[in-house]
């Protein structure tokens, strides 16, 4: 069917899935099947009474984890209305009879997630993260072979009868039977999706952000670049159009190598497929399947279109951040009706789709506009979530008295008193805890200068709020200097982890070892891989940390990997240990090994041995940082302070994440050594922090934490005189002159201490 390109517009939305829609399978002109993270496969039949609109007619339940790839079995004697083959995270390949909606076959042999499904006459071909291809016939595996040295991410059958695979190893491979006859080299990252381009060759979609058209000889005919993140899938149409889906929240339509349309979505687009009639179906992380059409008579009505654009606008606004704040959390222009409290006070308000900064002009008694606040480099990093909602902070609060650890969510734009009140009511805790919670929030968010509205009335008592440090008589002022950012109290941790990525990387490395005859003996068994998966499940379930535990064998296994795996492969193991030490029982178990064989010292030496692997440095510094959360490690940290700081300070730290981790390590050391009144240790940390603070091209947050460590050591520690001998005044003056507000503020704090 030839069609000229016309802009695609929304035709309809298919709602029913309860989580991300991961895959789409076009079932000729009968309908489409969709797979989801909600563990279901749904079949949507074409509703003849409603043009080309689809309506759900079958929900297929059987997978125990999210479902991904699918294939369509055209109607035959066994499946008079057709069938669906699906693969899932649960390692299963399931076959469904569309007439009954029932599962008729369960195919078990893969050891890890099933990533691709293809049909070869009556055989089923499946690919997996376990690096293999399986051929199934009559419900049994009749052939299996290792296709790549890394996870196989996709498989398709070519008209010639050959198979084509794409892999995490960045290559495509052409198979004739079990023999690889061609390797396609060109992508620089995982090959995630494959499709036929009839008459020309094959298409590939990659994590490197590109789409490539290949001749079957392995020659690259065309490269298409336009996505700004991972490309998950690509599909072609007889018209010559292509469609691709991406992590960048778009589906892009391509013609003659150029992008002719980008369709924005309110979430990641996992898959996109052309339907028989030229329409496009997209699978989105918001749980909705959308049909897009270039045919005027199939476009959604204006109300539906406006609703979609509203959804899209709301999603984009929810993601937009200005100055570290969510745009939707900023006050409107009405906030400028309230006078400022002091000359130079700044306020950011929402004007349309932008955040605009104003400064209070006390002399003229008005707000002066500074300009639009733009996103910082870290504004779009993933933030902590609680109950499905993102927050600037999610704190662990230990009430004591044998009570479980509670999760306290907080946004920078919140009033800390209101946030404390809401949380205490939700957790059914006494309101007498209120002031402690407020002080905890202020301390751990750096809001030392929070000014409370004097007109506030407690919603429960009707009285004004108690303000920490507030004078008993309104006009009394304190002669004690007011510091904005020092001293720091409490420990910082790195408590966000990509657990699935950690497990995936460990599995990849294990597969590499298995394929190397000289190193095969270093690999671990599938049972041990499963044990690590169980450890991750415990770590993910933070609400039950008070009642879950680890076996000695869990820690033994991780330390075994640290000790015997090649240095280039240990960073995901270190990253898992980083999270284990945040678990009360995990910390206790690891401490046993420190007491027995000083496992952490061994780990540091291996991780920093030349030539050092950058990922090892990052993960090991973060692990050291997280040790501070549990006081059981403080003695070890104190006794090894000098060697820990020395070994990491000598490492290359051009990566800003590593810089931040090292500055956080120094800040935690400063807090602990002040409490321990350890002057020698404080001097060592001061020296390291001063050295870091004077580095050029240092990330702002890293410099800030180093300066806070210096100021805290001078204010509450025992090293003020030593700091003056180290010419800290020069450091303070340089910081005060910074264009970064918080750097200038902490510089001013330190400058006060030099007087």
């Amino acid at each position: 069917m030839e069609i000229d390109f016309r802009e695609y517009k929304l035709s309809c939305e298919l709602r029913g899935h309860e989580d991300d829609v991961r895959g789409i399978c076009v079932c000729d002109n009968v309908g489409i099947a969709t797979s989801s993270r909600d563990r279901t496969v749904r079949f949507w039949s074409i509703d003849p009474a409603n043009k080309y609109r689809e309506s759900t007619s079958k929900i297929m339940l059987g997978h125990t984890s999210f479902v991904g790839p699918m294939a369509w079995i055209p109607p035959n004697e066994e499946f008079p209305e057709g069938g669906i083959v699906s693969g899932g995270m649960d390692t299963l390949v399931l076959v469904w009879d569309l007439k009954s909606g029932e599962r008729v076959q369960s195919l078990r042999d893969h050891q890890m997630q099933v990533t691709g499904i293809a049909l070869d006459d009556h055989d089923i071909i499946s690919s997996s993260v376990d690096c293999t291809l399986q051929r199934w016939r009559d419900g049994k595996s009749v052939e299996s072979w290792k296709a790549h040295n890394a996870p196989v991410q996709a498989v398709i059958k070519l008209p010639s009868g050959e198979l084509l695979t794409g892999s995490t190893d960045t290559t495509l491979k052409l198979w004739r039977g079990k023999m690889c006859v061609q390797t396609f080299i060109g992508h620089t990252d995982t090959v995630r999706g494959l499709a036929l381009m009839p008459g020309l060759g094959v298409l590939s979609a990659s994590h490197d952000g590109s789409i490539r058209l290949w001749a079957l000889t392995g020659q690259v005919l065309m490269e298409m670049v336009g996505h700004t993140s991972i490309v998950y899938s690509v599909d072609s149409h007889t018209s010559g159009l292509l469609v691709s889906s991406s992590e960048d929240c778009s589906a892009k339509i391509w013609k003659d190598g150029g992008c002719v349309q980008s369709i924005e979505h309110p979430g990641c687009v996992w898959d996109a497929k052309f339907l028989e009639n030229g329409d496009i179906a997209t699978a989105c992380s918001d749980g909705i399947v959308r049909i897009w059409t270039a045919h005027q008579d199939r476009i959604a009505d204006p109300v539906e279109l406006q609703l979609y654009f509203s959804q899209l606008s709301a999603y984009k606004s929810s993601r937009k951040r200005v100055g570290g704040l969510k745009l939707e959390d900023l006050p409107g222009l009405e906030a400028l009706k309230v006078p400022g409290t002091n000359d130079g006070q700044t306020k950011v308000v929402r004007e349309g789709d932008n955040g605009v900064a104003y400064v209070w002009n006390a002399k003229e008694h008005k707000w002066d506009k500074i300009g639009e606040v733009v996103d910082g480099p870290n504004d779009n990093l993933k933030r902590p979530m609680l109950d499905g909602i993102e927050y600037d902070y999610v704190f662990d609060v230990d009430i004591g008295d044998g009570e479980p650890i509670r999760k306290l969510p907080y946004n920078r734009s919140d009033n800390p008193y209101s946030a404390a009140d809401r949380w205490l009511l939700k957790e059914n805790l006494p309101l007498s805890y209120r002031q402690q919670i407020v002080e905890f929030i202020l301390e751990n968010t750096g809001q030392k200068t929070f000014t409370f509205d004097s007109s506030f009335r407690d919603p429960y008592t009707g009285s004004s709020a108690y303000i920490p440090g507030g004078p008993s008589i309104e006009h009394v002022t304190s002669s004690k200097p007011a510091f904005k950012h020092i001293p720091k109290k409490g420990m910082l941790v790195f408590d966000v982890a990509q657990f699935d990525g950690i497990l995936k990387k460990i599995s990849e490395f294990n597969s590499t070892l298995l394929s190397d005859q000289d190193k095969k003996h270093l690999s671990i068994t599938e049972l041990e891989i499963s044990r690590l998966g169980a450890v991750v499940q415990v770590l993910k379930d933070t609400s039950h940390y008070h009642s879950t535990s680890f076996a000695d064998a869990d820690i033994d296994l991780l330390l075994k990997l640290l000790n015997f795996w090649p240095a280039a492969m240990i960073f995901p193991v270190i990253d898992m240990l980083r999270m284990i030490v945040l678990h009360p029982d995990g910390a206790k178990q690891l401490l046993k090994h420190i007491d027995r064989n000083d496992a952490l010292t061994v780990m540091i030496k291996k991780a920093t041995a030349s030539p050092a692997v950058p990922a090892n440095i990052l993960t090991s510094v973060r692990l050291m940082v997280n040790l501070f959360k549990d006081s059981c490690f403080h003695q070890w940290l104190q006794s090894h302070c000098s060697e820990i700081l020395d070994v990491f300070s000598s490492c290359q730290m051009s990566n800003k994440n590593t810089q931040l981790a090292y500055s956080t390590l120094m800040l935690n050391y400063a807090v602990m050594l002040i409490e321990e009144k350890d002057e020698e240790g404080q001097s060592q940390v001061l020296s390291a922090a001063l050295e870091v603070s004077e580095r050029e091209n240092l990330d702002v947050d890293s410099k800030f934490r180093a300066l806070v460590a210096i100021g805290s050591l001078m204010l509450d520690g025992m090293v003020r005189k030593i700091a003056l001998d180290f010419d800290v005044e020069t450091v303070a003056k340089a910081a005060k002159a910074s264009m970064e507000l918080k750097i200038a503020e902490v510089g001013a704090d330190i400058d006060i201490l030099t007087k």
Side-chain angles (χ1 to χ4, degrees), residues 16-34:
H17 282 297
E18 298 174 359
D19 211 331
D20 297 43
V21 185
R22 295 296 300 264
I24 295 169
C25 177
V26 179
C27 306
D28 295 333
N29 58 359
V30 179
I32 61 173
T34 56

Side-chain angles (χ1 to χ4, degrees), residues 23 134 248 287 350 389 416 423 520 531 624 651 663 714 719:
Q134 296 266 3
D248 65 10
R350 185 178 68 254
I389 301 171
W423 185 74
K520 191 172 183 179
R531 180 178 284 279
M624 293 298 107
C651 294
S663 291
M714 291 178 67
V719 293

Side-chain angles (χ1 to χ4, degrees), residues 624 627-628 633-641 669 672:
M624 293 298 107
L627 291 176
F628 285 89
F633 293 111
H634 285 189
Q635 183 178 348
W636 183 88
L637 286 163
Q638 187 176 359
S639 64
H640 290 78
C641 173
Y669 255 125
M672 184 190 77

Side-chain angles (χ1 to χ4, degrees), residues 76 170 498-499 586:
N76 56 32
T170 76
Q498 300 294 329
F499 287 113

Side-chain angles (χ1 to χ4, degrees), residues 690-704:
L690 285 167
E691 190 274 325
V692 167
S693 69
E694 294 183 285
R695 289 180 185 174
E696 294 182 1
N697 302 319
L698 189 66
D699 174 65
V700 171
D701 289 329
S702 304
K703 182 182 284 288
F704 175 73

Side-chain angles (χ1 to χ4, degrees), residues 353-418:
D353 288 333
N354 298 305
V356 179
Y358 287 81
V359 63
W360 179 247
N361 184 333
K363 185 177 180 180
E364 299 182 23
H365 203 71
K366 68 184 183 72
W367 290 99
D368 291 332
K369 186 173 182 177
I370 301 173
E372 183 179 332
V373 180
V374 297
D375 291 349
N378 295 316
D379 283 349
N380 291 317
L381 292 181
K382 192 167 183 178
R383 302 188 306 146
M385 294 186 71
L386 183 65
D387 299 329
I389 301 171
E390 283 190 351
Y391 292 93
D392 293 325
Y393 305 93
V394 175
F395 298 114
D396 286 333
V397 181
D398 187 358
I399 301 299
D401 302 323
E403 291 284 326
I405 298 291
R406 314 291 180 102
K407 294 290 184 182
L408 167 59
Y410 182 76
N411 286 318
R412 294 184 187 94
S413 57
D414 288 346
N415 180 308
Y417 286 88
S418 300

Side-chain angles (χ1 to χ4, degrees), residues 498-518:
Q498 300 294 329
F499 287 113
D500 293 340
I502 292 171
L503 277 179
K504 177 183 174 184
K505 187 56 70 174
I506 290 175
S507 296
E508 285 179 15
F509 286 155
N510 197 55
S511 297
T512 301
L513 293 173
L514 280 168
S515 64
D516 187 332
Q517 289 301 318
D518 294 334

